[in-house]
């Protein structure tokens, strides 16, 4: 009987540790399917930062592979409809002329929001990849603006703009949304 109790106790211990692992893995999954970006709180903020980091790295991969279609799919529907993404991407790829070898750092943060009674009705994050060294020797930077919530304009959810910059942060090209004074960088 004593052996049976030990076995049952060990099985319960293993079972509990497995449940804990399952919860940790579930928390590690970052997608809008299991995340309400309208929620306030540190947990949601951290998940959106991680989602922005992942999306920024996907953008970098699209640049490395000159994957125009993959890049276009990440843009918000309204941006894809209202701006000449094909032309903008082609011009950016002329500057981003080879694959990246490495990058120095990736920074993400919340850059725009609107909250009403603890619920976000607007939420935007930015991802910046600094010091992207290309095989060609160029050092570039990518700045990506991503909208997760826009109750007034739900077609704006997705990437709104990508800025391709030189190593000093000077804008070289814009893909997506831009202001009139930036037309030269976008067209």
């Amino acid at each position: 009987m004593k052996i049976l109790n030990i076995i049952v106790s060990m099985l319960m211990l293993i079972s509990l540790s497995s449940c804990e692992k399952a919860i940790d893995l579930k928390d590690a999954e970052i997608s809008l399917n299991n995340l309400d970006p309208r929620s306030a709180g540190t947990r949601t903020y951290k998940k959106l930062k991680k989602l922005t980091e992942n999306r920024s790295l996907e953008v970098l991969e699209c640049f490395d592979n000159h994957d125009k279609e993959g890049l276009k799919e990440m843009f918000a529907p309204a941006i894809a409809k209202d701006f000449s993404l094909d032309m903008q991407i082609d011009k950016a790829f002329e500057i981003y002329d080879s694959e990246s070898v490495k990058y120095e750092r990736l920074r993400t943060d919340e850059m725009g929001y609107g909250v009403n009674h603890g619920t976000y009705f607007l939420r935007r994050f930015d991802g910046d990849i600094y010091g992207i060294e290309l095989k060609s020797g160029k050092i570039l930077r990518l700045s990506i603006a991503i909208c997760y919530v826009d109750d007034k304009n739900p077609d704006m959810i997705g990437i709104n703009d990508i800025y391709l910059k030189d190593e000093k942060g000077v804008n070289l090209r814009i893909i997506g949304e831009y202001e009139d004074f930036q037309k030269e960088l976008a067209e």
Side-chain angles (χ1 to χ4, degrees):
M1 187 69 175
K2 189 173 184 179
I3 294 176
L4 183 61
N5 284 339
I6 291 172
I7 292 172
V8 169
S9 296
M10 289 181 74
L11 288 174
M12 286 181 61
L13 183 61
I14 291 169
S15 168
L16 287 174
S17 67
S18 296
C19 289
E20 187 175 315
K21 263 193 176 173
I23 290 169
D24 288 345
L25 291 174
K26 185 177 180 191
D27 286 346
E29 289 178 19
I30 305 295
S31 73
L32 288 178
N33 294 334
N34 65 357
L35 172 68
D36 181 4
R38 288 177 175 77
S39 299
T42 305
R43 182 180 220 171
T44 302
Y45 173 79
K46 286 180 179 180
K47 285 185 175 186
L48 288 171
K49 277 183 65 81
K50 184 64 176 170
L51 184 60
T52 303
E53 179 181 310
N54 292 346
R55 183 50 50 116
S56 297
L57 292 173
E58 288 174 18
V59 167
L60 178 61
E61 186 177 333
C62 285
F63 268 81
D64 282 348
N65 297 322
H66 282 212
D67 181 3
K68 185 191 313 188
E69 294 306 314
L71 198 55
K72 286 177 14 182
E73 288 175 9
M74 291 188 256
F75 277 86
I79 301 297
K81 180 178 155 259
D82 294 341
F83 295 91
S84 303
L85 293 181
D86 283 308
M87 178 199 58
Q88 291 176 336
I89 293 169
D90 287 340
K91 290 189 176 194
F93 284 172
E94 288 174 11
I95 297 168
Y96 197 103
D97 58 1
S98 63
E99 289 182 43
S100 64
V101 177
K102 65 179 181 174
Y103 64 88
E104 284 178 19
R105 67 185 171 101
L106 171 59
R107 181 205 60 83
T108 62
D109 209 352
E110 190 165 31
M111 298 307 288
Y113 61 89
V115 182
N116 188 13
H117 300 293
T119 302
Y120 284 85
F121 58 86
L122 176 67
R123 199 156 200 189
R124 289 179 57 153
F125 276 68
D126 285 354
D128 284 295
I129 306 174
Y130 295 87
I132 303 168
E133 184 180 331
L134 303 184
K135 285 182 180 178
S136 66
K138 291 181 183 176
I139 307 288
L140 299 170
R141 174 177 160 190
L142 288 171
S143 295
I144 302 116
I146 305 170
C147 180
Y148 293 109
V149 177
D150 190 336
D151 288 348
K152 289 183 182 178
N153 302 302
D155 281 348
M156 290 298 286
I157 295 173
I159 291 179
N160 288 186
D161 57 62
I162 298 171
Y163 282 70
L164 178 61
K165 303 176 180 195
D166 69 13
E167 63 186 308
K168 295 179 182 175
V170 175
N171 294 329
L172 302 173
R173 297 298 308 163
I174 300 171
I175 303 171
E177 186 176 38
Y178 62 90
E179 300 294 329
D180 286 339
F181 71 91
Q182 299 170 312
K183 189 173 185 172
E184 184 178 308
L185 295 171
E187 294 183 358

